[in-house]
Amino acid sequence: MNAAWATLQGTGRVSLPGEPAVWSGAMRWLFLVLLTLIGVLAVGGLVAVPFALASGIDVTVATVLGFLGVYAMLTVAALLLNLGYRRQKRYLTVERRAVVLDAHGITLRGVGPIPWRDFGLAQHLMVRNEHSDGWVRRAVMPLTASGFAVVNQRLAPALRERISPPTGPFWNRTHRHIYVPGVEEMGQGEVMWLINAAHQMFSGDAHRPAPGAS
C-alpha cells in the first residue's frame, strides 16, 4: 500500500491489478455448494425409488405426479443456480481488470474513469443483499446525485452491473453505490484507505486519512 501511495503522490497516477472481492468469491462457492446439493438430492431420489417399490409402497397417480413435480422444481432451481454461477464467474473475470486512480477519477472492473465528484469516500454500509431481500454489510462508495444520474441514466446497462448490483422494486431497480474493488496483495481496508487518500488528494483536500480508516 505504501508503494502505491508513493507512486500516486509522485506521478499522480497508480494502476493496480484487480482481484475478486471476498464477497463475490464466496458467492461463487455458494452457487457451487447449492448445485452440488441439488445433484445429491436428485440422485438420492432416483436411488430411493427401487427400494420404495421393493418395500411394497402403493404407487398412485398422485405419487407419480408428486415425484415428477419435485424433480421439476429441482430442475428449475438447478437452472437458476447455474445461471447465477455463470454470471458470477464472468463477474470474477471482470474484477481482475486494473484498478486505476488518477486525477480523472477511478477506473475499476473495466468502467471509468468515474469522476471523484460522482461518489463519496469508501466506507462500510448496510446495503441490500445481492441475491435476497435482506441486508448485508459491504465496503462501498456511495454515489452522489451527479453519479447516480450518470450511472442509472447514461451508463450502458451491461456496465452498470459492474458498478454494483441493482436494488429496489423490480419496476425501479437502481444502482446507489460503487462496490469497493479488490486489489492483489492488498487487504480491503488498505484499498479503502488508498481510494480515500486519492479522493481527498484530487478533491483538493490535503488531509490524509488515518491508515485503516473505513
Side-chain angles (χ1 to χ4, degrees), residues 1 19 21-23 122-124 137-140 179-183 185-195 212-214:
M1 180 185 68
E19 183 177 71
V22 174
W23 75 269
Q123 56 191 289
H124 284 104
R137 188 171 184 261
R138 293 280 183 253
V140 300
Y179 273 28
V180 171
V183 172
E185 300 182 358
M186 288 180 64
Q188 187 179 74
E190 294 176 314
V191 176
M192 295 171 70
W193 181 91
L194 184 62
I195 290 174
S214 61

Side-chain angles (χ1 to χ4, degrees), residues 36-102:
T36 301
L37 179 60
I38 288 178
V40 170
L41 290 174
V43 173
L46 292 175
V47 171
V49 169
F51 292 97
L53 294 176
S55 65
I57 294 179
D58 292 333
V59 179
T60 64
V61 174
T63 302
V64 174
L65 291 177
F67 183 81
L68 294 177
V70 169
Y71 270 81
M73 289 188 291
L74 288 176
T75 300
V76 171
L79 290 174
L80 292 175
L81 286 171
N82 185 58
L83 179 63
Y85 172 76
R86 292 166 66 90
R87 181 184 301 170
Q88 196 65 33
K89 190 175 181 180
R90 289 195 299 270
Y91 186 76
L92 286 172
T93 301
V94 169
E95 285 189 294
R96 297 188 185 280
R97 297 193 180 185
V99 177
V100 181
L101 307 175
D102 59 26

